[in-house]
Amino acid sequence: MTADQVKGKRFRGALRYNLAKVEKGVAEILDTNFSGIGENIIMKEVAMIKALRPNLQKYFYHTSLNFPPKENLSNERMKSIAKDYLSELGFNQHQFIVFRHRDADHPHIHILVNRIGFDGKVVSDSQDYARSEKVIRDLEKKYNLTPVTSSRQAVERAMTKNEMEMMKRTDTLSVKLKLQTIIGNAQKQSHSVPDFIQALEARGINILFNQAQTGFVSGISYGFEGLIFKGSALGNGFKWTQLKGGLDYEQERDHATICETNTRTRSILSDNGLRQSAGDGAIHQTVASNMPKRTTASAQRTPGEDDTSISNFASGQRQSSQKFGRTESACEEPSQRHFELSEVAKEAGILVGGIIRGLLSPVDTDNYEDMATINEFKKKKKRKIRR
């Protein structure tokens, strides 16, 4: 079972949507505590309770509980599940109405509930999605329903509706599904980062690591059949934070290998260009005449995952920087690069005090990743000078 939640301030719109389904004969009302089922009656009663908290904007939930197609559930069983769901989330003394829809290939119900209780108390919406997921996992056990893998445990991102429709039309696997299969097999067969890279490139997959100048890797993306997928678009098991745990990875040792892989990938994708695709779940954008363009992240972004844009991915040029009047190679050893930067910075009078000197020193490599501390120091120094 899955739950889709929407918080809002337009109770009437959600009510009309569901009542229209009832009028068309594709939905029915399973349960409610309103005195009537007409739109005007319900909205008058909602307004009475809303007056207890006039300043609360998002005062209602519109939630759909979705069951697998093979679940054979009676109205009474669905009604019981809905009431337990509301009770577990704290909606014990609140206005609600439950609709069962029959216009899809899977059983599902829609629940409209007022967050403001009859006593004027409001159910908190803090961590509501996480709390909802816990409740539906418990309800699956209680009612012996087909279990659904939670979003935290899911290794592979499920196919979208557009992907499934495309597979039906073309009778071929989607690019994303192919990628998930190939990468999954490569993970099982690889022990080190070079092994993993070699296994994927041998199968036509180009990898781009989100690698900082320090060598630190924060994310990964995959290029396959003209499309680019962030690790998070494929599922938790394909993100760098998960991958590196199953590989023999050392940042300093594997820095050059990863950097060379990035250079190869950018060159290949720049030569081939990228095509636009609908419904594959990829990060994609047409690249005309090999000119780089920006792209936006996919719908559900995972914190800390690769934010690499199409321009970085498609560019055939090696990364360079004009900082301090010099050009830096992306594959230059981190220790040497930081040593040179620190020397230039010292000459410019930027480094003050032993702490900052230590952060930029090539001796203490553990601090290379934490450039935020240096930047914060610079900001504070500028503020002091202005004062």
Side-chain angles (χ1 to χ4, degrees):
M1 178 170 58
T2 62
D4 295 323
Q5 297 171 264
V6 177
K7 290 175 283 189
K9 55 184 178 181
R10 295 182 176 86
F11 198 105
R12 188 185 295 274
L15 179 63
R16 282 182 176 176
Y17 167 79
N18 284 277
L19 289 177
K21 295 279 188 179
V22 174
E23 291 178 3
K24 293 177 182 178
V26 294
E28 58 188 304
I29 297 174
L30 294 187
D31 196 12
T32 184
N33 59 0
F34 288 105
S35 61
I37 58 173
E39 178 184 332
N40 291 335
I41 294 175
I42 291 175
M43 290 312 302
K44 284 181 180 178
E45 294 182 14
V46 168
M48 291 173 59
I49 299 300
K50 177 69 171 65
L52 298 175
R53 289 298 183 98
N55 295 325
L56 182 64
Q57 294 295 314
K58 295 182 179 180
Y59 66 95
F60 91 98
Y61 273 119
H62 181 185
T63 304
S64 67
L65 298 183
N66 306 277
F67 305 87
K70 295 181 180 180
E71 292 282 12
N72 185 17
L73 299 168
S74 66
N75 283 351
E76 285 301 315
R77 196 166 181 80
M78 277 196 166
K79 176 179 174 180
S80 180
I81 291 172
K83 295 192 78 170
D84 282 353
Y85 178 80
L86 289 172
S87 177
E88 290 299 319
L89 288 178
F91 297 108
N92 297 300
Q93 296 294 323
H94 297 71
Q95 296 169 320
F96 73 91
I97 184 168
V98 181
F99 297 86
R100 176 170 186 167
H101 288 209
R102 300 182 183 276
D103 57 348
D105 59 358
H106 65 281
H108 65 285
I109 56 178
H110 287 247
I111 305 172
L112 277 63
V113 58
N114 194 338
R115 288 179 59 208
I116 307 170
F118 296 120
D119 57 359
K121 294 182 179 179
V122 180
V123 173
S124 172
D125 61 353
S126 176
Q127 300 294 319
D128 52 349
Y129 293 100
R131 289 189 291 114
S132 173
E133 187 163 31
K134 181 181 183 305
V135 169
I136 60 178
R137 296 286 84 80
D138 293 339
L139 291 177
E140 285 174 346
K141 296 176 182 177
K142 179 178 179 179
Y143 289 93
N144 195 28
L145 302 172
T146 303
V148 175
T149 305
S150 69
S151 59
R152 287 182 178 274
Q153 295 174 329
V155 174
E156 295 184 358
R157 180 69 61 83
M159 288 187 295
T160 64
K161 182 180 178 181
N162 288 338
E163 286 180 278
M164 290 188 284
E165 289 177 352
M166 184 200 71
M167 288 174 64
K168 289 179 182 179
R169 289 195 308 269
T170 62
D171 196 28
T172 58
L173 294 177
S174 69
V175 178
K176 186 167 78 173
L177 193 57
K178 291 179 186 177
L179 259 180
Q180 289 172 334
T181 303
I182 295 173
I183 297 172
N185 291 335
Q187 284 180 263
K188 296 175 184 177
Q189 300 168 3
S190 304
H191 300 287
S192 65
V193 171
D195 289 344
F196 182 65
I197 294 171
Q198 184 178 3
L200 293 185
E201 289 184 340
R203 291 165 177 80
I205 298 174
N206 304 112
I207 313 169
L208 184 76
F209 296 87
N210 188 24
Q211 186 182 44
Q213 290 182 349
T214 61
F216 178 72
V217 177
S218 60
I220 189 170
S221 296
Y222 308 90
F224 185 59
E225 295 188 1
L227 294 176
I228 300 168
F229 292 80
K230 291 171 64 173
S232 58
L234 300 179
N236 290 337
F238 303 93
K239 297 189 296 185
W240 176 247
T241 52
Q242 298 293 323
L243 284 173
K244 67 180 181 180
L247 298 172
D248 177 18
Y249 167 69
E250 289 183 12
Q251 178 178 315
E252 193 171 335
R253 181 195 65 199
D254 296 322
H255 169 268
T257 299
I258 290 174
C259 190
E260 290 165 4
T261 301
N262 284 350
T263 303
R264 278 197 308 275
T265 296
R266 292 190 182 99
S267 178
I268 291 171
L269 294 177
S270 178
D271 292 339
N272 295 336
L274 303 173
R275 65 178 176 85
Q276 191 170 9
S277 171
D280 264 310
I283 305 171
H284 55 268
Q285 193 156 349
T286 303
V287 178
S289 303
N290 289 334
M291 290 298 291
K293 295 184 180 180
R294 289 186 63 82
T295 185
T296 55
S298 55
Q300 294 201 355
R301 180 181 182 276
T302 304
E305 185 59 13
D306 182 15
D307 282 329
T308 306
S309 66
I310 288 292
S311 60
N312 284 340
F313 212 125
S315 172
Q317 303 297 324
R318 298 179 68 180
Q319 288 182 335
S320 65
S321 170
Q322 299 298 328
K323 294 180 181 178
F324 305 106
R326 62 182 292 275
T327 300
E328 288 184 313
S329 168
C331 295
E332 189 176 344
E333 287 299 322
S335 58
Q336 177 64 23
R337 178 164 60 252
H338 276 271
F339 175 77
E340 293 180 7
L341 284 177
S342 65
E343 290 302 314
V344 175
K346 287 176 184 177
E347 292 177 7
I350 294 176
L351 294 183
V352 178
I355 296 178
I356 303 303
R357 222 176 346 262
L359 284 171
L360 284 180
S361 171
V363 178
D364 187 4
T365 56
D366 290 336
N367 286 322
Y368 289 164
E369 297 172 13
D370 192 11
M371 297 303 293
T373 305
I374 303 169
N375 293 332
E376 183 62 26
F377 173 83
K378 293 177 182 177
K379 290 178 182 178
K380 288 181 179 179
K381 185 180 178 185
K382 287 181 180 179
R383 285 197 293 268
K384 288 180 179 179
I385 294 173
R386 288 172 184 171
R387 290 176 186 172

